[in-house]
Amino acid sequence: MKSSAGLLLSRIELDRASSIPLYRQLYLQIRKQILSGRLQGGVRLPSTRTLSKELELSRISILNAFDQLIAEGFLTSRTGAGTYVGHEWEGRGIDDEHPRQPPRLSDLSQSMLSLRSDHFRGVSYADWATGSPTSFLPSHSAYDAFPQSVWKRLLNRHLHKPTKAMLGYGELQGLLALREAIAEYVFDARGIDCSAEQVVIVSGAQQAFNLLGMLLLNPQDSFWMEDPGHIAARIALQAQGGQVVPLRIDEQGIDVRQGLALCPDARLVFTTPSRQHPLGVTMSYGRRQELIDWAAQNQSWIIEDDCDSEFRYNGRPLPALYAMDQWARVIYAGTFSKVLFPSLRLGYVILPNALVEPFCTLRAVMDRSPPTLLQAVTADFMREGHFLGHIRRMRALYQARQQALVEQLQKQLGTFFRITPVEAGMHLIAWLPAHLDDDALARELGQHGIHTYPLSDYCLEHVLPPALLIGFASTPEDQAQARVEALAQALDKMGYLQPAT
Amino acid sequence: MKSSAGLLLSRIELDRASSIPLYRQLYLQIRKQILSGRLQGGVRLPSTRTLSKELELSRISILNAFDQLIAEGFLTSRTGAGTYVGHEWEGRGIDDEHPRQPPRLSDLSQSMLSLRSDHFRGVSYADWATGSPTSFLPSHSAYDAFPQSVWKRLLNRHLHKPTKAMLGYGELQGLLALREAIAEYVFDARGIDCSAEQVVIVSGAQQAFNLLGMLLLNPQDSFWMEDPGHIAARIALQAQGGQVVPLRIDEQGIDVRQGLALCPDARLVFTTPSRQHPLGVTMSYGRRQELIDWAAQNQSWIIEDDCDSEFRYNGRPLPALYAMDQWARVIYAGTFSKVLFPSLRLGYVILPNALVEPFCTLRAVMDRSPPTLLQAVTADFMREGHFLGHIRRMRALYQARQQALVEQLQKQLGTFFRITPVEAGMHLIAWLPAHLDDDALARELGQHGIHTYPLSDYCLEHVLPPALLIGFASTPEDQAQARVEALAQALDKMGYLQPAT
């Protein structure tokens, strides 16, 4: 019978200053040694007397630790024969104590991950976590201007007592009150005439794209994608086996004729007609009608992502593609991440009737309805008029913030960037001198704590001049000057401004 | 030039009692007619004078409505020539006014949906929405016993002012404070020795299964599945192309030898070792070690679903499979849906280091981190000791509720059901007379507002005697008698109790 009293004793370190009781420290350390394989199954432990002497610890404390370890199956005690590590803990390899660093995704062999995960290589999410104060990241809204006190008041309404309605699984399709408020809102704001039955609440538009890809795409099915276009949406559809067919963006949006030339029988098309993402073009009526007619003839689906159409600063808003579609081929996706805040994790899809049940069935298995509490608050926020007021205020605020930022960028960096104000959305496109690599530039800026997105990240086949996406919604007017100065200094340090001087 | 003044006028109905201003009613009704194709592009509208006369409405109101419709591009006005429906609204088919009912999933042709969606046929989610008072649905916890006042207090802590930390996209991997609290909890409760870096917060375990299927399975890869076993997990893995290999459950859980005989090179195995779902068996140490050794040799993955291991009423708890695994092949999935409440939509996975980055990258594209507010509250709830106290209270409560329900079932229906108390979990298994069809019985009970799950729903190949899963956690002791009476009456009405009398 192996014995390792020495080994055990040498590794026990009791911290008498700690708030953790000594018996518990002993319990945790012995268990850790068993779990890590350092104390092997069958090993006999020193007697409580020995331990008590060596560790200067009362036998009661040691017995307490042993009892718990025995109860949990780590130790077994044989009367007369002492206490042993359970045999089920035999033959365990010993971990090295240093936690290994995860390898980079690209280092992982396919024997380890699915081929599908190839599509995710190089996706970076570092920016989201931190987001330094001088960040110009697009898609970040004006958190400082959110009506928190109203939100708090509405939230507390639903916290009085615990009910199954609020704590249980909730309506799979989403809270009816919220679906009704959304149906009313999109009718007024987007010309969409739908019933609450066609609305399904999701945890952000991205989840909708994922579920729609699963529902509608077979492996090898082709789909048309705007180029440049929505990166995460494209990957979500590719991850479901879809083959991407990139369609160039011109001043009218995508052109069905190009799609017909490249792949006439695509299963679906992903488009952002009201404000093309990322270029900001508005799709013309003619192109919209052509797209709908093609989808109707070809029994194809149109996913319309309408993410921040609320923020249009001039030019008249066009009704959604969904509103023009009399053939029930358009699926409309909206989100509250921009209009309210991203961490709310609420979005919605408006489906043709035929897709409602299949989508919900899929959704029932893939996830559940988002937290009822947050849906209820959002519904109240909409029904009681706070929502439209908030959009109006943000529209004015973002317009002012854009103006201030454009002014500063033109004043301080007008010779480096070519910038024109946008009619809608939350980011500018800053065109760079033709010889620069926007991707490298963005990465370098990131190291200086300045976050932007390079346009080339959004491009598939159709190469565009280098440019940076610069978000303006989260930069207060009075900080525009300082932030652009920081940007200019960084560019100068990096040696990009020499040619301009 | 077509004219449809008559048509238009005949369809306008103004409700003078309504709170909606008359000009807006007019605006909405005209727009609806354009969107629905009843008013075609190019059609000339009656003059404001005519409309004013016919509708008994001031010209100002009519002009207001027209101005808005013109601004939105529905109407165009040609000086001198009157007002027309925009030409882009030409040639639209006319909708029938009755919203179509969605067809059942099984009626939808594959030309419409992906083959993948086949897996979702017959999935029913009706029970969740309603859940009648006498419901015996498993997996519903004791909402009435949730410490709402504490929860409310903790929530309000984080509602003082709007910050990017609370409203922004948040840490992709999940709030660090929550991941730390979880790492500490699983070490104490489940013997799992991991760092917060290995914990990823998800919106419930089901999302984790979906993401893991995408990450680890290639189409046609085989996976071992407990039979009977977790329905939604199986479908999630099948939906990613996985081929299910059902393994029989005996008194020790699944048997690797059976898996080796059927499909030695399965890519992963899904298992519920601490309380087999749905049968409640605890996997023996020997089987656990065999499973881990197989996975290590075969470079396969083990998904350990530990969903309600907190609720063990007697018998000693075994450490998690993850705690025994020195080869980093086990992925541990936990959820707060049972321990706290389902609508919280929080769960977690504990990953081998090598999978952390790939999982997060996938997750970054498929969804974002759950609402930061709810993560922060849950972290506080755990760190400040409420969590363990709540588990202790619920354990005692559920044991009492189980006892009360078992007593009533045995007293009132002991000749019909064969019931034995369970050592863990939140549901009983009520075995039925061998000749009965549990699926039909459950459906029939559902029509009487009594919700249970039939065991056969969980079975793949290995047929078991008929039985019903009866949840006890949400039935207060003082309601056990009445609820079982309702159940007995329903069974009697349905004619099932005759043989017993």
Side-chain angles (χ1 to χ4, degrees):
Chain A
M1 171 58 63
K2 341 163 212 171
S3 172
S4 67
L7 168 64
L8 174 62
L9 292 171
S10 69
R11 285 182 166 277
I12 300 282
E13 285 166 8
L14 301 175
D15 172 5
R16 287 176 155 75
S18 158
S19 65
I20 304 172
L22 292 169
Y23 85 88
R24 180 150 180 83
Q25 290 184 44
L26 181 62
Y27 154 79
L28 292 174
Q29 290 188 37
I30 294 177
R31 192 173 69 169
K32 187 163 188 168
Q33 292 190 37
I34 295 172
L35 288 172
S36 68
R38 283 189 297 275
L39 263 182
Q40 289 287 324
V43 166
R44 179 163 184 248
L45 269 65
S47 70
T48 53
R49 183 176 280 95
T50 317
L51 281 170
S52 155
K53 208 155 111 287
E54 299 286 340
L55 302 173
E56 294 166 344
L57 195 62
S58 77
R59 284 185 71 192
I60 291 300
S61 303
I62 291 159
L63 285 169
N64 284 341
F66 278 21
D67 288 347
Q68 191 167 351
L69 289 161
I70 288 164
E72 292 181 1
F74 288 96
L75 301 181
T76 57
S77 143
R78 312 192 196 131
T79 32
T83 309
Y84 296 82
V85 177
H87 279 290
E88 45 273 57
W89 301 101
E90 248 166 275
R92 295 167 58 79
I94 298 198
D95 296 351
D96 53 292
E97 295 216 327
H98 324 288
R100 286 140 292 170
Q101 282 310 305
R104 292 208 41 87
L105 180 50
S106 49
D107 304 339
L108 288 166
S109 78
Q110 284 310 325
S111 74
M112 185 165 181
L113 297 175
S114 69
L115 299 165
R116 189 183 289 115
S117 52
D118 262 3
H119 298 299
F120 301 90
R121 283 172 197 250
V123 170
S124 135
Y125 52 83
D127 296 348
W128 302 343
T130 60
S132 77
T134 65
S135 172
F136 291 119
L137 276 184
S139 85
H140 280 275
S141 50
Y143 306 121
D144 53 315
F146 185 73
Q148 184 77 2
S149 57
V150 176
W151 192 257
K152 180 178 182 176
R153 179 163 52 76
L154 298 181
L155 245 168
N156 275 282
R157 261 190 213 168
H158 300 282
L159 296 173
H160 293 318
K161 58 178 173 32
T163 62
K164 182 178 179 183
M166 203 52 68
L167 302 182
Y169 282 99
E171 296 171 63
L172 177 80
Q173 203 171 336
L175 192 68
L176 180 59
L178 180 57
R179 289 185 283 122
E180 286 170 345
I182 288 169
E184 192 178 322
Y185 166 68
V186 294
F187 181 69
D188 287 355
R190 313 294 300 124
I192 292 174
D193 187 8
C194 70
S195 75
E197 288 316 301
Q198 294 172 268
V199 181
V200 180
I201 309 300
V202 289
S203 67
Q206 188 57 34
Q207 185 185 49
F209 305 147
N210 181 12
L211 293 173
L212 289 169
M214 295 189 71
L215 186 67
L216 302 174
L217 284 179
N218 285 322
Q220 307 312 316
D221 279 347
S222 297
F223 65 96
W224 293 352
M225 185 76 206
E226 296 173 329
D227 179 11
H230 192 306
I231 296 168
R234 189 199 76 227
I235 296 176
L237 298 174
Q238 286 178 304
Q240 299 305 334
Q243 304 297 309
V244 62
V245 178
L247 303 190
R248 189 184 326 103
I249 301 296
D250 63 25
E251 67 291 337
Q252 291 190 71
I254 52 171
D255 185 342
V256 168
R257 270 152 290 189
Q258 195 202 354
L260 290 174
L262 292 171
C263 177
D265 63 349
R267 185 67 170 269
L268 66 78
V269 53
F270 180 92
T271 182
T272 53
S274 60
R275 189 196 58 76
Q276 200 276 332
H277 182 66
L279 292 180
V281 177
T282 302
M283 193 179 207
S284 68
Y285 266 110
R287 293 280 181 89
R288 290 172 187 231
Q289 197 59 63
E290 282 170 24
L291 195 62
I292 291 169
D293 295 343
W294 163 77
Q297 280 162 27
N298 200 53
Q299 290 275 301
S300 300
W301 298 106
I302 301 172
I303 300 179
E304 175 181 27
D305 177 21
D306 201 36
C307 100
D308 51 11
S309 60
E310 289 82 3
F311 301 125
R312 170 164 290 280
Y313 311 112
N314 49 50
R316 70 176 199 215
L318 305 184
L321 203 57
Y322 189 104
M324 290 179 64
D325 169 27
Q326 64 270 50
W327 308 111
R329 307 309 304 179
V330 177
I331 299 153
Y332 178 95
T335 178
F336 291 105
S337 294
K338 312 292 194 306
V339 187
L340 296 177
F341 56 92
S343 184
L344 181 58
R345 305 312 310 134
L346 287 180
Y348 50 93
V349 276
I350 300 173
L351 298 159
N353 282 308
L355 286 184
V356 172
E357 188 186 352
F359 186 90
C360 289
T361 310
L362 180 72
R363 199 268 166 66
V365 173
M366 287 307 157
D367 194 0
R368 303 284 184 264
S369 188
T372 305
L373 175 67
L374 299 179
Q375 294 188 66
V377 175
T378 306
D380 291 352
F381 194 80
M382 293 179 87
R383 286 185 302 185
E384 297 174 23
H386 306 293
F387 187 67
L388 292 179
H390 182 60
I391 292 177
R392 267 194 306 276
R393 277 190 302 278
M394 291 305 104
R395 198 182 285 130
L397 182 71
Y398 291 170
Q399 187 161 16
R401 287 185 172 187
Q402 175 180 204
Q403 202 171 355
L405 197 61
V406 168
E407 272 172 27
Q408 287 299 327
L409 285 166
Q410 280 167 343
K411 186 161 142 234
Q412 299 187 45
L413 289 164
T415 54
F416 183 67
F417 288 131
R418 189 165 50 76
I419 289 174
T420 46
V422 291
E423 286 195 340
M426 297 160 66
H427 69 261
L428 297 159
I429 299 208
W431 298 96
L432 296 163
H435 64 280
L436 291 183
D437 172 348
D438 54 15
D439 188 51
L441 179 60
R443 250 184 284 103
E444 218 175 329
L445 279 173
Q447 288 153 12
H448 289 72
I450 292 171
H451 299 294
T452 64
Y453 290 148
L455 178 60
S456 57
D457 273 8
Y458 297 80
C459 296
L460 292 166
E461 284 178 3
H462 306 286
V463 180
L464 289 169
L468 295 180
L469 274 62
I470 295 188
F472 53 78
S474 55
T475 297
E477 291 157 73
D478 58 11
Q479 289 178 44
Q481 181 173 359
R483 291 194 181 181
V484 173
E485 274 164 13
L487 171 61
Q489 280 160 21
L491 287 168
D492 194 30
K493 271 210 214 82
M494 290 152 47
Y496 283 101
L497 298 189
Q498 271 58 327
T501 52
Chain B
M1 170 58 65
K2 344 163 211 171
S3 171
S4 67
L7 168 64
L8 174 61
L9 292 170
S10 69
R11 285 181 167 278
I12 301 282
E13 285 165 9
L14 300 176
D15 172 5
R16 287 179 155 74
S18 157
S19 64
I20 304 173
L22 292 169
Y23 85 89
R24 180 151 180 83
Q25 291 185 46
L26 180 62
Y27 154 78
L28 292 174
Q29 289 187 39
I30 294 177
R31 191 174 70 169
K32 187 162 187 169
Q33 292 190 38
I34 295 172
L35 289 172
S36 68
R38 281 189 297 276
L39 263 184
Q40 290 287 324
V43 165
R44 178 164 183 246
L45 269 64
S47 70
T48 52
R49 184 175 281 97
T50 315
L51 280 169
S52 155
K53 214 159 108 282
E54 298 286 339
L55 303 173
E56 294 165 343
L57 194 64
S58 76
R59 283 184 71 188
I60 291 300
S61 303
I62 291 161
L63 286 170
N64 284 341
F66 278 21
D67 288 347
Q68 191 168 349
L69 288 161
I70 288 166
E72 292 181 2
F74 289 95
L75 301 181
T76 56
S77 146
R78 311 188 199 134
T79 30
T83 308
Y84 296 81
V85 178
H87 277 289
E88 46 269 60
W89 301 100
E90 249 166 274
R92 296 168 58 79
I94 298 199
D95 295 352
D96 53 293
E97 293 217 324
H98 325 288
R100 286 140 292 168
Q101 282 309 304
R104 292 206 45 87
L105 180 49
S106 48
D107 304 339
L108 288 166
S109 76
Q110 283 309 328
S111 73
M112 184 164 180
L113 297 174
S114 69
L115 299 163
R116 189 184 288 117
S117 52
D118 264 2
H119 297 299
F120 300 90
R121 286 173 194 247
V123 169
S124 135
Y125 51 86
D127 296 349
W128 301 343
T130 60
S132 77
T134 66
S135 172
F136 291 119
L137 275 185
S139 85
H140 280 275
S141 51
Y143 306 121
D144 53 316
F146 185 73
Q148 185 77 1
S149 56
V150 177
W151 193 257
K152 180 178 182 175
R153 180 163 51 76
L154 298 181
L155 244 169
N156 276 284
R157 259 191 212 168
H158 300 282
L159 295 173
H160 293 319
K161 57 177 178 23
T163 62
K164 180 176 181 184
M166 204 49 71
L167 302 182
Y169 280 99
E171 297 171 61
L172 178 80
Q173 204 172 334
L175 193 68
L176 179 59
L178 179 57
R179 289 186 283 123
E180 286 170 345
I182 289 169
E184 192 177 321
Y185 166 69
V186 293
F187 182 70
D188 288 356
R190 313 294 299 121
I192 292 174
D193 188 7
C194 70
S195 75
E197 288 316 300
Q198 295 172 268
V199 181
V200 181
I201 309 300
V202 290
S203 68
Q206 187 57 34
Q207 185 186 49
F209 305 147
N210 181 11
L211 292 172
L212 289 169
M214 294 190 72
L215 185 68
L216 303 175
L217 284 179
N218 285 322
Q220 305 312 317
D221 278 348
S222 297
F223 65 96
W224 294 353
M225 185 76 205
E226 296 173 329
D227 179 13
H230 193 307
I231 297 169
R234 189 200 75 221
I235 296 177
L237 297 175
Q238 286 178 302
Q240 298 305 335
Q243 302 297 310
V244 62
V245 179
L247 302 190
R248 190 186 323 101
I249 300 296
D250 62 23
E251 66 291 336
Q252 291 190 72
I254 52 170
D255 186 343
V256 167
R257 270 153 290 192
Q258 195 201 353
L260 291 174
L262 293 171
C263 177
D265 62 351
R267 183 71 171 267
L268 66 79
V269 54
F270 180 93
T271 182
T272 53
S274 60
R275 187 196 59 76
Q276 200 276 330
H277 182 66
L279 292 178
V281 177
T282 301
M283 192 180 212
S284 68
Y285 266 111
R287 294 281 181 87
R288 291 172 187 230
Q289 196 60 65
E290 282 170 24
L291 195 62
I292 291 169
D293 295 343
W294 164 77
Q297 280 161 27
N298 199 52
Q299 291 274 299
S300 300
W301 298 106
I302 301 171
I303 300 179
E304 175 181 27
D305 177 22
D306 201 36
C307 98
D308 52 10
S309 61
E310 288 84 4
F311 301 126
R312 170 163 290 281
Y313 310 111
N314 50 51
R316 71 173 200 218
L318 305 184
L321 201 59
Y322 189 105
M324 292 179 64
D325 169 26
Q326 65 270 50
W327 309 112
R329 307 308 304 180
V330 177
I331 298 153
Y332 178 95
T335 178
F336 290 106
S337 294
K338 312 289 193 305
V339 187
L340 295 177
F341 56 92
S343 184
L344 182 57
R345 306 311 309 132
L346 287 181
Y348 50 92
V349 274
I350 300 172
L351 297 159
N353 283 308
L355 286 184
V356 171
E357 188 186 352
F359 186 90
C360 289
T361 310
L362 181 71
R363 200 269 166 63
V365 174
M366 286 309 156
D367 193 3
R368 305 282 187 265
S369 188
T372 305
L373 175 66
L374 299 179
Q375 294 189 64
V377 175
T378 306
D380 291 352
F381 195 80
M382 293 179 87
R383 287 185 301 185
E384 297 173 23
H386 306 294
F387 187 68
L388 292 178
H390 182 59
I391 291 176
R392 267 194 306 276
R393 277 190 302 278
M394 291 306 103
R395 198 183 283 129
L397 181 71
Y398 292 171
Q399 187 161 18
R401 287 184 172 188
Q402 173 180 204
Q403 202 172 358
L405 196 61
V406 168
E407 272 172 28
Q408 287 299 326
L409 285 166
Q410 280 167 343
K411 185 160 144 238
Q412 299 188 47
L413 289 164
T415 55
F416 182 67
F417 288 131
R418 189 165 51 76
I419 289 173
T420 47
V422 292
E423 287 195 338
M426 297 160 66
H427 70 261
L428 299 159
I429 298 204
W431 299 97
L432 296 163
H435 64 284
L436 291 182
D437 172 348
D438 54 13
D439 187 51
L441 179 60
R443 250 184 285 106
E444 217 173 329
L445 279 172
Q447 288 154 11
H448 289 73
I450 293 170
H451 300 292
T452 63
Y453 290 148
L455 179 59
S456 57
D457 272 9
Y458 297 79
C459 297
L460 292 167
E461 284 178 2
H462 306 288
V463 180
L464 290 168
L468 295 180
L469 274 61
I470 296 187
F472 53 77
S474 56
T475 298
E477 292 157 73
D478 58 10
Q479 291 179 41
Q481 181 173 358
R483 290 194 180 181
V484 174
E485 274 164 14
L487 171 60
Q489 279 161 20
L491 287 167
D492 194 30
K493 272 211 215 84
M494 289 152 48
Y496 282 102
L497 298 188
Q498 271 56 327
T501 52

